[in-house]
Amino acid sequence: MRLNMNIFQKIYQYRELLKTNVKKEIRGRYKNSFLGVMWSFLNPLLQLAVYSIIFGALLAGGDSTYPIYICVALIPWTYFTTTITQSAFTVIGNGDIIKKVYFPREILPISVVTSGAVNFIISTIIILAFVIFSGVGLSWYLLLYPFVLLVQYVLLLGISFIVSSITVYFRDLEHIIGVILLAAFYGTPIVYKLEQLPPNLQIIMQLNPMTHIINGYRDIFYYHQMPNMVTLSILLGISVIVTIIGYFLFKKLQKGFAEQL
């Protein structure tokens, strides 16, 4: 199976459409909202306040930096869940355009993942503010932030190709995804530490790719230590494979998009 390099030529050829679509995704997220892009900051802050109150008394163990511990994980997790949820609807939501105008359909999931990344980068300001003003501080490991983001971006790209194409044929997937993501939230060390779990359960949690991505963000922002670069590099390789598989699946299924929509 050989990756069709023509996709990169198509994306470059339609780069203006891609940029326009990314801007549309970002603006559409807060369309008709009075506060607009400010919700990029308010949403994670409100979620952080809720989780800190609910889980703080149970799991914090007197740790005053527990809100920062959650913050560093919750914001990238929000990027993960929001992107997958939007990807499930992106092809269906653009059905009228797909039936009337030709353009590389791959641009749709790519736009969702990229606009989510832009929003996540903006939201990272919250993490920086929390670690600076709480006294946790910054370290040179912050330079590894783009690499961890790259791993998450490529993983999301592969998942988005798969989800966006399958949902066209199986509409119930939109609702199933919500349940899966809810279960995945508790299966990822966001509000608790992995070490708090029994050893056998820790092994199972290690199979969750977001466990390693969340740990990567925590290492550079919270613990000020080198992330597990070997694990993240392996995960990047797996994510590339998932993206290739997702692309070919999307390519195969897109032939019937117009009929299904």
Side-chain angles (χ1 to χ4, degrees), residues 30 43 46 49-50 58 75 84-85 92 104-105 109 125 145 147 165 170 173 192 203 243 261:
Y30 306 110
N43 268 332
L46 291 172
V50 171
L58 298 173
I75 292 178
I84 293 178
T85 303
I92 298 171
R105 312 313 191 203
I125 296 173
Y145 169 80
F147 180 73
S165 57
F170 183 54
L173 185 60
Y192 59 85
I203 295 174
T243 299
L261 297 171

Side-chain angles (χ1 to χ4, degrees), residues 99-166:
K99 288 186 285 188
K100 295 177 182 177
V101 182
Y102 170 78
F103 63 94
R105 312 313 191 203
E106 299 88 346
I107 283 180
L108 296 175
I110 292 174
S111 298
V112 172
V113 179
T114 304
S115 63
V118 172
N119 194 67
F120 171 54
I121 291 171
I122 295 172
S123 299
T124 302
I125 296 173
I126 298 175
I127 298 177
L128 294 174
F130 265 81
V131 297
I132 290 173
F133 293 109
S134 68
V136 172
L138 301 174
S139 71
W140 73 268
Y141 294 109
L142 183 62
L143 296 175
L144 296 173
Y145 169 80
F147 180 73
V148 182
L149 174 56
L150 174 65
V151 177
Q152 185 173 9
Y153 181 91
V154 177
L155 176 64
L156 277 171
L157 192 58
I159 295 174
S160 295
F161 276 137
I162 295 170
V163 168
S164 61
S165 57
I166 292 179

Side-chain angles (χ1 to χ4, degrees), residues 240-260:
V240 170
I241 294 173
V242 171
T243 299
I244 293 173
I245 294 173
Y247 168 73
F248 278 109
L249 178 65
F250 187 95
K251 193 76 174 174
K252 182 177 180 63
L253 294 181
Q254 73 169 342
K255 297 175 183 177
F257 283 176
E259 290 79 4
Q260 294 295 324

Side-chain angles (χ1 to χ4, degrees), residues 192-207 211:
Y192 59 85
K193 295 183 179 180
L194 196 60
E195 298 75 25
Q196 294 176 308
L197 301 177
N200 57 335
L201 196 54
Q202 289 184 36
I203 295 174
I204 296 175
M205 294 299 185
Q206 296 283 353
L207 299 176
T211 294

Side-chain angles (χ1 to χ4, degrees), residues 68 72 76 120 124 127-128 131 136-150 212-229 232:
I68 294 89
V72 173
F120 171 54
T124 302
I127 298 177
L128 294 174
V131 297
V136 172
L138 301 174
S139 71
W140 73 268
Y141 294 109
L142 183 62
L143 296 175
L144 296 173
Y145 169 80
F147 180 73
V148 182
L149 174 56
L150 174 65
H212 305 290
I213 292 173
I214 294 296
N215 286 342
Y217 287 118
R218 279 210 175 108
D219 285 336
I220 61 179
F221 284 112
Y222 186 77
Y223 291 116
H224 297 171
Q225 64 186 20
M226 177 69 74
N228 191 327
M229 298 300 289
L232 288 174

